[in-house]
Amino acid sequence: MKEIYLDNSATTKVYTEVAELMKKIMLEDYGNPSSLHTKGVDAEEHIKTAKKQIAKILKCQEKEILFTSCGTEGDNLAILGTAMAHHRRGKHLITTKIEHPAVLEPMGALEKQGFEVTYLDVDADGHIDLQQLSDAIRPDTILVSIMHTNNEMGALEPIEEAGKIIKEKNPQCYFHVDAVQGFGKAEIKPKKMNIDMLSVSGHKIHAPKGVGFLYINEKVRLQPLMLGGGQQGGMRSGTEATPLVAAIGLASEMCYENLEEKRAKMYAMRDRFVAKLEALDGVYVRGKRGTETAPHIVSASFEDVRAEVLLHSLEAKGIYVSSGSACASNHPATSKTLLATGTDKKFLDATIRFSFSDFTTDEELDTTIAALEELLPQLRRFTRK
Ligand code: PLP
């Protein structure tokens, strides 16, 4: 049975070139990048290359890239590191109701320590209201954190407009963007967009799990969370994971090769898939069309079918999808995004996410539609009276 992997927002397959580069580093250039001998220098070269590759994409300086272990770490460092460094200036933070737990949990932890957090609403399509953001910014607001691309619905937030508003209302307030689902699929220029910090995760862009990076504008002052040997300018102690760092550098470069072409292809593929999904009985695709949503995420609700049952029925046919957000394993009960977008109660556990990568084809999506055509009437026999 041929596998059809439509769960790329949970994680992606590593690019072959990336795996080969990692193998070479693990077996040959395995020195500690802090060592003074040539083995160390060779390892350090890989880190410098990765920084160059990423800085070129973001149009930033190489020293503004900090390697982390994952998207979660970048989000935590941006939020907790800001709170610890700037609590004397203010104890107010702003975020949205549909962030990943990697943002919502540190925000919640800060609330317990006496910080105040404003959670912005979203509309039915998952978009924030810029007026509400503007009204929420105060002189004591130290950080606004808004996701670039929602992981469940693919909603693209108005980051550039938000950046402008934040800096106009409070130039000292930092702007953090969780771009774990957006990096690699969209042009993101932190300086142009007034973004002070940007979190990215390797395993969403065809690098392995266990690596990410945080772009930190050179003017930003953060308190590090990890103390030790002073690597990465003391901002994150711990020996750099050279194979992983090289992997995220190369994967980033590969994702951004011919990006416009890839985006156009993915949007066309998505629109064709969405039209076919909507033609099925009792299937409702969520969120806006066009370029207000990401090209690679489709969220659909199924009448009279439980998401988990459908997920496993598709799995039996070699098709892998997600119910809610697989990467939030401790938060499966009720999706915050579904609740915040006012989803009808009957769809709270009847919604499936299909997410694509460069490897996804129209043929695979047609096979998925055919599988749904076969499965839905069968599954509904058990639920419909
Ligand atoms: N932020 C968003 C929007 C995500 O979708 C995810 C994971 O799915 C994360 C953060 C966490 O990333 P990681 O799994 O690398 O910790």
Side-chain angles (χ1 to χ4, degrees), residues 281-316:
D281 178 37
V283 181
Y284 306 95
V285 177
R286 305 172 61 246
K288 276 219 166 71
R289 300 292 177 278
T291 48
E292 276 180 86
T293 46
H296 61 298
I297 299 177
V298 174
S299 171
S301 297
F302 295 81
E303 215 156 57
D304 297 321
V305 178
R306 280 194 50 222
E308 205 180 317
V309 177
L310 180 55
L311 180 151
H312 290 302
S313 305
L314 286 169
E315 182 188 7

Side-chain angles (χ1 to χ4, degrees), residues 344-361:
D344 193 321
K345 234 173 158 184
K346 69 180 177 184
F347 290 136
L348 289 181
D349 75 343
T351 299
I352 290 281
R353 176 184 70 185
F354 304 88
S355 48
F356 315 153
S357 78
D358 293 356
F359 300 115
T360 309
T361 63

Side-chain angles (χ1 to χ4, degrees), residues 9-10 69-73 75 99-100 102-103 147 149-151 178-181 200-204 211 325-328 353:
S9 285
S69 63
C70 58
T72 300
E73 186 189 331
D75 288 345
E99 297 297 311
H100 189 274
V103 167
M147 67 196 331
T149 303
N150 176 260
N151 48 304
D178 175 338
V180 167
Q181 297 289 346
V200 172
S201 172
H203 73 102
K204 314 287 185 181
V211 67
S325 163
C327 40
R353 176 184 70 185

Side-chain angles (χ1 to χ4, degrees), residues 178-347:
D178 175 338
V180 167
Q181 297 289 346
F183 183 82
K185 303 289 190 307
E187 289 288 356
I188 307 176
K189 303 283 182 267
K191 309 247 177 210
K192 192 172 154 238
M193 298 175 162
N194 288 303
I195 299 169
D196 297 302
M197 289 170 277
L198 184 97
S199 329
V200 172
S201 172
H203 73 102
K204 314 287 185 181
I205 58 161
H206 306 285
K209 291 142 198 76
V211 67
F213 69 80
L214 181 68
Y215 156 81
I216 310 173
N217 183 292
E218 65 174 332
K219 295 196 188 108
V220 166
R221 205 165 47 78
L222 291 182
Q223 185 149 319
L225 304 182
M226 203 103 83
L227 305 176
Q231 290 89 345
Q232 301 206 65
M235 190 43 80
R236 184 186 186 268
S237 286
T239 302
E240 293 95 329
T242 321
L244 294 166
V245 164
I248 199 170
L250 179 58
S252 301
E253 188 177 82
M254 288 178 69
C255 281
Y256 278 90
E257 261 165 28
N258 306 318
L259 181 71
E260 269 322 303
E261 210 175 287
K262 286 186 209 160
R263 273 168 58 85
K265 185 186 145 216
M266 223 179 251
Y267 269 125
M269 199 160 65
R270 181 204 66 177
D271 289 346
R272 193 171 167 271
F273 181 59
V274 165
K276 291 190 176 195
L277 268 181
E278 285 184 321
L280 299 175
D281 178 37
V283 181
Y284 306 95
V285 177
R286 305 172 61 246
K288 276 219 166 71
R289 300 292 177 278
T291 48
E292 276 180 86
T293 46
H296 61 298
I297 299 177
V298 174
S299 171
S301 297
F302 295 81
E303 215 156 57
D304 297 321
V305 178
R306 280 194 50 222
E308 205 180 317
V309 177
L310 180 55
L311 180 151
H312 290 302
S313 305
L314 286 169
E315 182 188 7
K317 292 180 173 295
I319 301 168
Y320 298 95
V321 298
S322 219
S323 60
S325 163
C327 40
S329 60
N330 293 325
H331 306 257
T334 319
S335 145
K336 288 220 162 56
T337 304
L338 289 179
L339 289 175
T341 50
T343 307
D344 193 321
K345 234 173 158 184
K346 69 180 177 184
F347 290 136

